[in-house]
Amino acid sequence: MDTKNRGIAWTLLASILWGTTFPFIGFGLEYTDSYTLLFLRFATASVAVIFIVLVRRDINIIPALKKPGTWILGIVWGLGFLMQFVGQADSTAAEASLLSDLYPAIVPVLAFALLKEKIGNNQKIATLLGIVGLIMVMYPNLTFTSSHLPGDLILVLSSVFYALFIVLGKKGGPDETQKVFSLVIVLTIVLSIPAVLKGNLGSVVSIGMGWAAILWLALPGTILATLFYFRGPSSLSA
């Protein structure tokens, strides 16, 4: 398998794992609020990261954590997650999976603006189809009385942040393991702020079966998916 096909395979695997998170988010939201669930997702992932770093002494995330770019990337990614979780609380899992996954249609535009990457014909078609899909999904909710409209708009905003994360993530830096592990730590710190201000951290002791969702979201849905993702873009355009 050549480099480009390997990149596509890694990116596809990451997309599949990220796609599985939507029903788990919906399940987790039955036990706690979106701010707390999101924070616990990354706090649990951070525990796993710290354990791996302590066992595997060849992984050093301190240099990556000292880079401003890591924090900028983490904040952008964190805002995407925050918008997705908050938006899905006022939407359906089906709408959330569609609206927060519009980022492939947005990436070419941002890649052209920020990285000067050429927009190919296929990317132009994908962007156009993404816009059409957005209109079709949101059209039933395009009234001020719709209870889903605020959630749908927030989900679209999450796609914008995800697209920006992908484009900024192309600029290089530490290897994928150091990058992913350091980003998990950054997101835990960043997302602790809305969790404290708006969440209900006291619900941690009563989440019960919700921890099954948190474990899936933290391990396959965050650590593995992001590791797979960062192995792909080095051989692909944004």
Side-chain angles (χ1 to χ4, degrees):
M1 186 181 295
D2 60 36
T3 302
K4 183 176 181 180
N5 286 336
R6 279 200 301 270
I8 293 173
W10 285 121
T11 305
L12 180 61
L13 284 172
S15 297
I16 291 171
L17 284 176
W18 276 330
T20 67
T21 63
F22 293 98
F24 282 98
I25 292 171
F27 180 70
L29 288 173
E30 295 179 9
Y31 294 88
T32 188
D33 63 275
S34 54
Y35 301 99
T36 303
L37 180 64
L38 182 56
F39 169 69
L40 291 178
R41 171 182 182 170
F42 282 93
T44 303
S46 286
V47 172
V49 163
I50 292 170
F51 175 78
I52 294 171
V53 169
L54 290 175
V55 173
R56 291 273 309 273
R57 296 186 180 276
D58 57 320
I59 301 176
N60 183 8
I61 63 174
I62 300 300
L65 288 173
K66 291 181 178 180
K67 295 180 179 293
T70 301
W71 288 86
I72 293 172
L73 196 60
I75 290 171
V76 169
W77 199 25
L79 288 171
F81 276 113
L82 187 61
M83 297 298 102
Q84 179 191 333
F85 273 60
V86 172
Q88 186 167 339
D90 293 323
S91 187
T92 66
E95 288 176 349
S97 64
L98 291 169
L99 295 177
S100 64
D101 273 352
L102 286 173
Y103 59 87
I106 303 171
V107 165
V109 178
L110 292 180
F112 174 77
L114 299 177
L115 303 180
K116 306 304 179 185
E117 286 190 359
K118 183 179 178 181
I119 302 178
N121 290 331
N122 290 339
Q123 292 170 315
K124 291 176 183 177
I125 294 172
T127 300
L128 179 60
L129 291 175
I131 294 172
V132 172
L134 169 64
I135 295 172
M136 291 178 66
V137 172
M138 291 190 64
Y139 182 76
N141 300 323
L142 290 178
T143 63
F144 289 109
T145 58
S146 172
S147 61
H148 285 190
L149 181 59
D152 286 355
L153 292 173
I154 293 172
L155 287 167
V156 172
L157 189 59
S158 76
S159 279
V160 176
F161 280 113
Y162 285 148
L164 184 58
F165 166 76
I166 289 171
V167 173
L168 294 178
K170 277 286 293 181
K171 291 190 173 183
D175 67 61
E176 64 263 13
T177 302
Q178 291 176 341
K179 180 180 285 188
V180 171
F181 284 7
S182 59
L183 282 173
V184 167
I185 299 297
V186 169
L187 261 72
T188 303
I189 296 170
V190 170
L191 296 171
S192 67
I193 299 172
V196 170
L197 295 178
K198 300 280 289 184
N200 180 19
L201 294 176
S203 66
V204 172
V205 296
S206 59
I207 289 178
M209 286 299 295
W211 278 103
I214 292 169
L215 287 173
W216 180 268
L217 292 170
L219 303 179
T222 296
I223 295 178
L224 278 182
T226 314
L227 280 171
F228 291 163
Y229 168 73
F230 275 113
R231 291 191 177 191
S234 60
S235 56
L236 302 171
S237 65

